[in-house]
Structures are given as C-alpha cells and as structure tokens.
Amino acid sequence: MKILLAEDDEILVDVLVKALTTQHYIVEVATDGQMAWELAEQYPYDLIVLDVGLPSLDGISICRRLRSQGNLTPILLLTAKD
C-alpha cells in the first residue's frame, strides 16, 4: 500500500513514517501543499493523509481539488485545531 503523507511538522512526520513503514507501507512525504498537490496529480496512492494547515496550499483545498477532478482515493485529514 502506497501512502502520501502531507505534513509540515517534522516530528510528526518522523513518528508517522516510522509507524507506517514498520507496518510495511510505502510512504512518500510532502512538506507543503503545493508539493502534495503535484505528487497527488502525478502518482497513484492508496491513501492520502493531509494536514489541514499546510503551507502554500491547505489540506482542505487539496481535497476539494482532487474530488473535483474525480479522484476517489481515500483521504484522511489531520488537524491540530479544535
């Protein structure tokens, strides 16, 4: 299973990548919204994990763009907001 992880918090990225790769998932990391958008357009993923508060392009906007293009890849949104 190939996962796109879009997160700008380095500590959280390290924890998630270690946990997911231990479970034999392939994880690609994008540290900003633009990078996440470009990767999501170019490569197929089984799951996309998006931080809501990404720099340059937020996770909700990426989700909307993907859905408007007919991309049905499961998306998990992460947020530190209340």
Side-chain angles (χ1 to χ4, degrees):
M1 179 178 231
K2 189 173 177 181
I3 299 172
L4 172 59
L5 172 61
E7 174 61 60
D8 61 332
D9 182 316
E10 290 180 31
I11 294 170
L12 186 53
V13 167
D14 288 342
V15 169
L16 289 172
V17 168
K18 285 178 186 173
L20 293 168
T21 56
T22 298
Q23 297 299 316
H24 308 290
Y25 295 110
I26 299 166
V27 182
E28 291 187 356
V29 176
T31 55
D32 67 53
Q34 187 60 40
M35 178 190 281
W37 171 248
E38 290 170 7
L39 288 171
E41 278 193 301
Q42 292 177 349
Y43 304 104
Y45 293 96
D46 298 299
L47 173 66
I48 299 173
V49 180
L50 298 172
D51 178 10
V52 170
L54 288 168
S56 76
L57 184 62
D58 67 271
I60 293 173
S61 296
I62 295 168
C63 183
R64 285 182 179 144
R65 284 185 181 185
L66 290 169
R67 293 299 186 245
S68 72
Q69 291 185 345
N71 186 320
L72 299 176
T73 302
I75 296 173
L76 177 64
L77 293 169
L78 298 178
T79 184
K81 298 178 182 182
D82 292 337

